[in-house]
Amino acid sequence: MKKKKIIILSAVNALLITLIVVSLFTIRNYRRELQSQQASEFWRGKSEERFSQVSCFFPESAAISENKILTFRGLIDTKLTDAGVKLPKEHSLWTDAYSAAETLEVTGERGTAKATAIGIGGNYFMFHPYELLSGSYLYDTDVMKDRVVLDYDLAWKLFGSSSLDGMYVKIGGKPYYVAGVIKRESDKFTDKAFSGEPVIFMSYTAFSAETTAPAKDNTAASDGASNIACYEICMPDPISKFAATLVKENLAADNGGIIVENSGRYGFERIVKLFTNFGDRSISNTGVEYPYWENAARVSEVYIARLYVVIALLAVFPLGCIIWLLVLLIKFLRPKLKKAKAEAAYAWDDRYARMDQLKKRRQKHGGRHTRGRHGINTVINEEDE
């Protein structure tokens, strides 16, 4: 019967440990699922420096202008130099992107469709590396700002194809040439966070021209359109939270922007904080409307947190068994330890008794002793012999 219990306990523990390993492996996969959270690893490359990916989301009522971002860009290298970071001459150590979104009507060969228009600036497609089905992405260095990228759904609605070389769409009666067609992410987190509407990407310059109402004097706002809702940056992080603090102090402090350090969002500290602030997390009173990729990341955090709870519950029984085995081991070893302790004490006392006998013998015989190779050699007087 005892042997049967051992077999059952071993089988149960083996099953629970296997489930724990599977859960840990699943967490590892979840952490790598969203490409929008991997930009710092891609940008860092083989560099030994620590890099951080930081996102800043602004309330709709306090969105920032492109000029403010340009001003912030001018501070970054100076702040890095002050922090002891050596700047290379041939390339930049940081890259960033910004975006704004509005619903616009887009017209193609087959008619008109409403789509989420995302105006982008900076190195946007490095942070969001969508699969390119045809053509090319948009780049900040493009001279022509009248080029757009369609997602697969919008391309099929407007043209019935994803190969649109030489084609153009119209927004507000103005033609925009199709640079490429992309396929959006297809994962369990994005599927939950994305509402499913078609998407068109356009330069922020063209986007602001289409979405910003003219001023009373019929001119554009002098400081640029103030509708940027998301800013993202990858940069060195010489000390913990350096990048996040830099963005917070220079972009988010004045308008209630929310800072997210993507590089550490799946760390133990962040997951514990998620549990302790779960109620506050569920209620948003900041006025920030997160883009779908951030909502997808927040969903993934919840999934990972659940798995940590599962792991903790699964580990209770094996840990209990380990503690029980340790108690049995201590009970088994305790008599042996007592015996070993007694034997050691006896040997110690015996050593001193023998030394005392040797001393008395020398005194009795009046001999002399010398230290030889193997210890003390006592030389007995010839008269005693």
Side-chain angles (χ1 to χ4, degrees):
M1 187 66 180
K2 188 176 180 180
K3 185 176 181 180
K4 186 177 180 181
K5 283 185 178 180
I6 293 174
I7 293 174
I8 293 174
L9 286 174
S10 299
V12 170
N13 280 300
L15 176 61
L16 292 174
I17 291 172
T18 300
L19 292 174
I20 290 172
V21 171
V22 171
S23 298
L24 289 172
F25 186 75
T26 304
I27 288 174
R28 176 177 174 270
N29 288 340
Y30 283 172
R31 294 176 67 168
R32 299 182 177 184
E33 186 84 16
L34 297 174
Q35 292 184 339
S36 62
Q37 305 302 307
Q38 314 300 322
S40 63
E41 290 297 317
F42 176 80
W43 183 253
R44 180 172 67 97
K46 296 182 179 179
S47 173
E48 295 182 358
E49 288 189 74
R50 183 175 64 179
F51 279 71
S52 179
Q53 178 185 351
V54 176
S55 299
C56 185
F57 304 101
F58 304 99
E60 185 177 353
S61 59
I64 64 171
S65 68
E66 189 175 37
N67 286 346
K68 188 164 186 178
I69 289 176
L70 296 177
T71 301
F72 173 65
R73 284 176 170 179
L75 298 173
I76 297 175
D77 284 344
T78 301
K79 296 294 185 179
L80 286 173
T81 303
D82 293 343
V85 178
K86 186 177 180 181
L87 303 180
K89 295 180 179 179
E90 63 277 7
H91 64 272
S92 177
L93 282 179
W94 57 271
T95 188
D96 67 351
Y98 50 94
S99 58
E102 290 282 353
T103 299
L104 296 176
E105 286 191 348
V106 186
T107 302
E109 282 186 345
R110 291 190 172 187
T112 300
K114 286 188 175 182
T116 296
I118 301 180
I120 62 174
N123 198 1
Y124 180 85
F125 289 105
M126 195 281 291
F127 289 87
H128 306 278
Y130 304 104
E131 180 183 349
L132 194 62
L133 299 179
S134 65
S136 64
Y137 297 121
L138 303 181
Y139 299 98
D140 221 26
T141 54
D142 291 342
V143 176
M144 302 300 294
K145 303 300 181 182
D146 59 350
R147 300 167 71 243
V148 295
V149 170
L150 311 183
D151 76 345
Y152 179 82
D153 293 341
L154 186 58
W156 272 91
K157 280 188 175 183
L158 298 183
F159 297 97
S161 173
S162 60
S163 297
L164 305 180
D165 294 343
M167 308 298 289
Y168 66 89
V169 297
K170 285 187 177 181
I171 301 175
K174 182 178 178 180
Y176 290 89
Y177 294 91
V178 179
V181 177
I182 58 96
K183 181 180 179 182
R184 285 184 283 101
E185 309 98 313
S186 179
D187 57 78
K188 64 188 302 178
F189 308 126
T190 302
D191 290 345
K192 288 181 178 295
F194 189 70
S195 56
E197 71 278 6
V199 177
I200 180 172
F201 300 91
M202 54 200 307
S203 71
Y204 182 75
T205 300
F207 174 86
S208 59
E210 293 291 343
T211 59
T212 304
K216 292 181 179 180
D217 59 355
N218 295 322
T219 60
S222 61
D223 66 340
S226 299
N227 55 3
I228 294 173
C230 176
Y231 177 77
E232 303 168 273
I233 186 170
C234 283
M235 62 180 296
D237 203 34
I239 58 175
S240 180
K241 300 188 182 302
F242 173 85
T245 302
L246 183 64
V247 175
K248 182 177 181 179
E249 291 179 349
N250 292 277
L251 287 181
D254 297 334
N255 53 14
I258 303 298
I259 300 294
V260 176
E261 191 168 7
N262 307 70
S263 309
R265 76 183 309 150
Y266 299 120
F268 182 75
E269 181 183 352
R270 180 71 180 266
I271 296 300
V272 170
K273 189 175 180 181
L274 187 152
F275 280 113
T276 56
N277 299 329
F278 194 79
D280 295 337
R281 175 188 171 94
S282 302
I283 303 173
S284 177
N285 54 10
T286 60
V288 172
E289 184 176 347
Y290 294 112
Y292 78 86
W293 59 83
E294 173 60 19
N295 283 328
R298 290 162 72 86
V299 171
S300 71
E301 286 179 338
V302 174
Y303 272 68
I304 289 175
R306 287 176 180 173
L307 282 173
Y308 277 125
V309 172
V310 170
I311 289 172
L313 294 175
L314 292 173
V316 170
F317 188 77
L319 287 175
C321 290
I322 291 173
I323 294 172
W324 177 63
L325 288 174
L326 288 174
V327 171
L328 291 180
L329 182 62
I330 292 171
K331 287 182 177 180
F332 174 76
L333 293 177
R334 184 175 294 170
K336 296 183 178 296
L337 292 172
K338 285 183 177 180
K339 184 178 179 181
K341 183 178 179 181
E343 289 178 352
Y346 175 78
W348 186 262
D349 293 341
D350 186 60
R351 175 177 178 271
Y352 277 97
R354 284 187 283 107
M355 290 179 64
D356 189 55
Q357 289 176 1
L358 182 60
K359 183 178 179 181
K360 289 179 179 180
R361 184 180 177 188
R362 291 177 190 150
Q363 292 174 352
K364 178 180 178 182
H365 295 284
R368 67 184 187 277
H369 62 272
T370 61
R371 183 171 295 277
R373 181 179 178 183
H374 298 290
I376 298 175
N377 299 322
T378 301
V379 181
I380 306 300
N381 290 335
E382 293 180 359
E383 294 176 0
D384 294 335
E385 293 181 354

